[in-house]
Every structure is written in structure tokens, then in C-alpha cells.
Amino acid sequence: MQAKEDFLLKAYELGIIKFGSFTLKSGIESPFYVDLRPLASSPHHLKTLSHNLLQLVDEKSLELICGVPYAALPMATTMSLESGVPLIIKRKENKGYGTKRMLEGVYQKGQNCLLVEDVITSGKSLVETIDEVEKEGLKVTDIVVVLDREQGGIERLEKKGYRVSTLFTINEVIDILHKYHRLDAEEVKEVKSFLNESPTAPTRKRTRLEDKEIQHPVGRNMIDIALRKKSNLIASADVVSSMELLKLANEIGDKIVALKLHSDIIVDFTWDMVTELRSIAREKDFLLFEDRKFADIGNTQELQFKQGIYRFADWVDMITAHTIAGEKSLRVFEPTGVVAIVEMSSEGTLTDNYYVTQSLNVAQKSPNVFAAVAQRQVSDDLLLFTPGVNLEMKGDNKGQQYKTPKKVFNDYFTDFIIVGRGIYKANDPVVAAEEYRKQGWEAYQDSLK
Ligand code: 5BU
């Protein structure tokens, strides 16, 4: 105990925990801030810490050690040097050239890998790291953590079957610092009341559609239609003739918020078809959504959008565009609503974490982008559309990967699901559309609880 306390007091002098008022990544005001990175600047303390972390696990069972980037990297390295257990390095993002692997080092599938984390809060970043390590074929059973902020992270991981060992809890740290007069009673009270008010389980709350901060008229309109119809369903009409398209629109129109099209797959695209489609959309109260996935410089996109055979600018409510060419390239679509492709559903997609972050930055800077297509939660100022949804299939043989409505509403806080083959290929598309509407709306309601 004495050694643990000594270590903490020394680490405190290095500035690993600060008291005052700090805005956390989540936007929450916290009376303290923890940052273990300064420890790496003190070899002696880093060694002590790593030794203590190794004590928490059965060294004999370890085959590899991996630190969650970046703060835990020096700790994992030091643990590897002390124990002789090989180190592997997890990248934060794919470097884009060379092997393109997310894990660097020598390892074999099936090996057991100990994960090292500095601070655990909700456990979200650890879950992501575990996913990536497991994707490489490694086994994760144990995780060691220096500090538990006691905000539900441990429970989240234990529920998934991982053994988590922690050196300190935040309450322990506060008590030790108080005992040695580094914190006075008033400060202890403030920090403890903050900790008590903080939820013990991760309570991510999703925002109701009507409370979303969407300004764009097409986005507002989508929300109004969704609430009127009790539907979060966008049907993807990937049919190849105008007859099939108009039939589908007529049959399922009253169950959907938008009909998503790939106009360039329709063999007999005509303006009569467009006129008819528009009249069905007006009658059945849904929007027309061209999934064109523009991906060029602004000037070319503008020509593709306003000229050519399809002249989308004249008749669609919204279009999809990649963000790859940057923010200015997206302005050419004004005033049509733009749905930014931030992340794709297909196996092997290049939209990794780095891409998604950069893409969201572009989307958020663009005034006419009101929604994003992604397979993860995005911020409240964009609506989230998620394709790759199917109740029966797990995927196709061309890389598509499916999830259920329940999964995407619950885990990603999706606002609208996009369903193609689940509806238009069903024996009875009307029955299928009603099933996706109903299950989608119920899953959305459940995710609000
Ligand atoms: P499906 O039949 O439900 O697999 O069709 C999905 C539709 O969504 C299809 O039109 C795709 O082009 C579209 N899609 C997708 O599946 N995944 C993506 O990441 C993006 C679009 Br972006």
C-alpha cells in the first residue's frame, strides 16, 4: 500500500492529475483532468508503474503486449522489456502505404494479447482497440488499466467477457491525495460530488428527431415526414426499368420517408418517368433521393448535377456526394440537400477512422450537407443514414455487409435506415416495407429510452 501511495504522490508531482475546471471531449465540465503522458518523461516512475501493472496479471499466460495509443505505448514498451513478452504496436490510423496493417510487429493468429490502457472512462476506445486486435486474429482476455474513472467502462468490458485489472480508481486517488494533504476537504467534496453525479453506466442518449439541430429545409422536411408517418425508412429502389420503379413507388410510397434512386441503372429513363415519379412522391408524401455519389472537383460535379441526361438539379430533393474533393466541391449542389458519404458498409472499404473523422469535418463545414451516411454515430448537427440493413441476410457475395434495424438504431443512433433488396426483392414488397417501417420505428423508439 505504502509503495502504491508513494508512487501516486510522485506521479502527482509530475502533473498527471490536475484540479480546476476542465472541458472534457464530451463537452462535460469536470473539476479534474487526468493525463498520464508526463510519466513517460520519468524513466524511474515509468518502470515502477509498468512493474505494478505486470503484477496485476499472470505473466506466464501472456504471449503479446499491446498499448492503446498513445499514452499507454511507453507503458506497454516498458512492460515488454521487463517481462520479455513481445510488444506489438497498434496504429491509430492506417498509414495508407506499405503493409496497411493496423498492428505492427511479429505475431501469429490465435496468440493471446494483453491490452494496456492509461485511463478508462466509458470503455469505448478500448472496445474499438479490442475489435481491431481481434480482427487480426489475436485473442484478448485481459486488460490492465492504470486509472478507472469509474464511469461504467469496466462494467461494459466485463459484460463482454474481458478481465479488467486496474491499479487505481479515481476515488482511491482522491482519498490518497487528501490523506497526504494534496487536496483539501472542500476540493475533495467537489470532486466526489462530480463523481457521484456522473453516471456509473455509460448513458449515451440519443436525440429525438424533432430535437435535432438540423437547419436545412430538406432535413427538416424529412423529420416532419418521419414523424407524420412514424417511419425512419428510406427505400432504395435499385430496379432497372421505369415500370418497376413507378410500381414500387406507388406500392410502398406511403410507408417511406424517401425513395433512393440510382437513375443511371434505369434502362428506359425518361422525363415522363420523372414527371410520374414526382407526382407519386407528392401524393404519397416522400422525397426523391438520388444516390449519385458524386466524387469529382466542384466544376465537374456541377455539370454532372445540372446537365447531361439526368439534370438532377431540376427534380431531386437530395443527392449523395463523397467528401473526398473537399468542402468547396459540395457547394455547387445548393440549394439541393447533400448527404455526405462518410463511411461505407462494404467489406474492405477504405473509410477507416482517419477518413471518417476528416470526412465529417468537411461535411460539418458545408452548409448544404444535412446528413451523413455512416456505420457509426455522428454528431447531432447531421442526420445519420445507415445502409446495409437487412432482416434476413448477413451480406451478399459482392462485399455488402448487413445489420439489423435494431443494431443500427441502438448502437449507432441511426436516424434513417436505407433498405434495398430487403424490400424490392421480397416476395411482397408492400409487406416487407411495412415490416421494415414497423421494426425500424420500434427500434428507434426503444433507442430513445
Ligand atoms: P441493399 O440491397 O439493401 O444492399 O442496397 C443498399 C443500397 O444502399 C444500395 O443502393 C447501395 O448503393 C447503397 N449503399 C450501400 O449499400 N452502402 C453504402 O455504404 C452506401 C450506399 Br454509401
Side-chain angles (χ1 to χ4, degrees):
M1 187 61 192
Q2 187 59 46
K4 205 171 154 182
E5 291 183 352
D6 279 351
F7 169 77
L8 182 72
L9 293 174
K10 303 266 171 48
Y12 177 70
E13 304 307 328
L14 287 172
I16 62 147
I17 180 162
K18 293 194 171 74
F19 298 93
S21 180
F22 303 91
T23 309
L24 303 179
K25 205 156 78 184
S26 54
I28 295 173
E29 283 292 309
S30 168
F32 66 96
Y33 184 74
V34 183
D35 177 8
L36 299 189
R37 275 169 292 199
L39 272 168
S41 306
S42 168
H44 172 71
H45 293 115
L46 183 60
K47 262 194 198 165
T48 311
L49 172 67
S50 306
H51 177 76
N52 289 338
L53 289 173
L54 276 174
Q55 304 290 303
L56 298 175
V57 282
D58 175 15
E59 256 181 64
K60 289 189 291 297
S61 69
L62 301 182
E63 293 175 290
L64 296 166
I65 296 183
C66 177
V68 178
Y70 289 105
L73 293 184
M75 298 170 199
T77 310
T78 315
M79 288 166 77
S80 164
L81 289 173
E82 178 175 337
S83 62
V85 176
L87 178 80
I88 52 170
I89 297 174
K90 192 203 149 286
R91 294 189 163 278
K92 252 202 148 150
E93 58 269 332
N94 190 318
K95 62 184 189 275
Y97 58 87
T99 59
K100 301 202 178 82
R101 293 202 309 192
M102 289 303 281
L103 289 182
E104 299 291 347
V106 181
Y107 57 86
Q108 278 150 18
K109 283 194 187 336
Q111 280 189 308
N112 193 321
C113 180
L114 172 72
L115 287 189
V116 186
E117 173 70 301
D118 60 338
V119 181
I120 182 167
T121 309
S122 69
K124 212 172 134 210
S125 61
L126 253 174
V127 169
E128 277 170 26
T129 303
I130 294 171
D131 275 355
E132 285 181 4
V133 171
E134 289 180 342
K135 244 191 239 158
E136 295 295 317
L138 298 177
K139 242 184 4 215
V140 177
T141 54
D142 285 85
I143 298 152
V144 288
V145 178
V146 181
L147 179 77
D148 175 14
R149 281 188 65 129
E150 296 176 288
Q151 276 161 292
I154 306 277
E155 290 79 0
R156 180 185 227 165
L157 288 159
E158 284 179 346
K159 241 195 222 156
K160 288 179 177 275
Y162 301 103
R163 247 190 325 262
V164 192
S165 316
T166 31
L167 210 51
F168 296 102
T169 65
I170 185 68
N171 272 296
E172 238 183 310
V173 169
I174 303 303
D175 290 342
I176 297 172
L177 293 177
H178 181 44
K179 182 172 159 193
Y180 291 94
H181 310 293
R182 293 336 190 249
L183 280 180
D184 63 29
E186 197 49 43
E187 287 169 315
V188 172
K189 208 172 118 199
E190 194 189 342
V191 176
K192 291 230 167 176
S193 82
F194 170 79
L195 289 172
N196 287 337
E197 278 164 26
S198 304
T200 50
T203 54
R204 300 180 310 138
K205 265 195 105 171
R206 75 166 294 149
T207 309
R208 292 176 172 277
L209 280 174
E210 54 270 45
D211 297 334
K212 291 248 171 187
E213 295 159 25
I214 307 295
Q215 311 293 335
H216 197 285
V218 178
R220 298 294 337 157
N221 203 357
M222 274 195 91
I223 293 173
D224 290 344
I225 299 174
L227 297 173
R228 276 202 294 276
K229 289 185 165 175
K230 295 195 184 342
S231 172
N232 309 64
L233 181 59
I234 298 172
S236 185
D238 301 336
V239 291
V240 297
S241 73
S242 57
M243 205 183 77
E244 287 169 284
L245 175 63
L246 296 172
K247 182 166 181 278
L248 189 71
N250 245 319
E251 286 177 350
I252 65 169
D254 52 1
K255 310 198 182 298
I256 60 175
V257 176
L259 191 69
K260 187 174 82 62
L261 313 163
H262 287 288
S263 294
D264 56 358
I265 65 175
I266 299 168
V267 291
D268 55 345
F269 180 94
T270 60
W271 287 101
D272 284 346
M273 181 204 87
V274 169
T275 309
E276 178 69 21
L277 194 58
R278 281 182 40 130
S279 111
I280 300 169
R282 211 172 310 116
E283 184 198 332
K284 310 258 176 194
D285 193 18
F286 64 83
L287 300 177
L288 292 176
F289 176 17
E290 170 63 34
D291 192 6
R292 173 60 179 76
K293 297 191 181 71
F294 293 93
D296 213 316
I297 58 164
N299 189 59
T300 306
Q301 291 190 151
E302 185 167 27
L303 291 168
Q304 290 168 323
F305 180 56
K306 296 182 178 165
Q307 309 295 328
I309 303 174
Y310 305 111
R311 299 207 313 265
F312 298 118
D314 293 346
W315 61 280
V316 304
D317 298 295
M318 50 185 164
I319 51 100
T320 51
H322 285 287
T323 52
I324 189 117
E327 190 227 321
K328 276 197 177 160
S329 74
L330 300 173
R331 299 215 170 173
V332 301
F333 303 116
E334 273 165 11
T336 302
V338 176
V339 179
I341 310 284
V342 164
E343 183 178 24
M344 296 196 68
S345 62
S346 46
E347 193 186 333
T349 174
L350 300 180
T351 55
D352 60 7
N353 290 345
Y354 176 77
Y355 184 90
V356 170
T357 313
Q358 301 295 319
S359 175
L360 274 173
N361 274 339
V362 172
Q364 279 167 317
K365 273 195 268 166
S366 312
N368 54 334
V369 175
F370 71 94
V373 179
Q375 304 287 321
R376 66 178 75 195
Q377 187 180 5
V378 297
S379 67
D380 265 354
D381 50 9
L382 293 172
L383 291 173
L384 173 60
F385 295 3
T386 303
V389 172
N390 199 296
L391 285 163
E392 267 142 38
M393 300 203 294
K394 287 228 165 331
D396 59 17
N397 58 3
K398 298 168 206 165
Q400 177 67 300
Q401 305 177 111
Y402 285 125
K403 293 172 185 107
T404 60
K406 217 184 175 105
K407 164 107 185 147
V408 302
F409 282 110
N410 240 317
D411 292 3
Y412 310 156
F413 291 168
T414 294
D415 298 304
F416 293 94
I417 47 172
I418 297 177
V419 182
R421 282 163 283 183
I423 295 175
Y424 72 83
K425 283 262 191 205
N427 286 338
D428 188 337
V430 182
V431 172
E434 174 55 18
E435 194 58 27
Y436 280 97
R437 184 206 62 78
K438 186 164 156 282
Q439 290 214 22
W441 189 253
E442 280 170 8
Y444 162 67
Q445 298 289 329
D446 282 347
S447 69
L448 292 170
K449 287 176 190 158

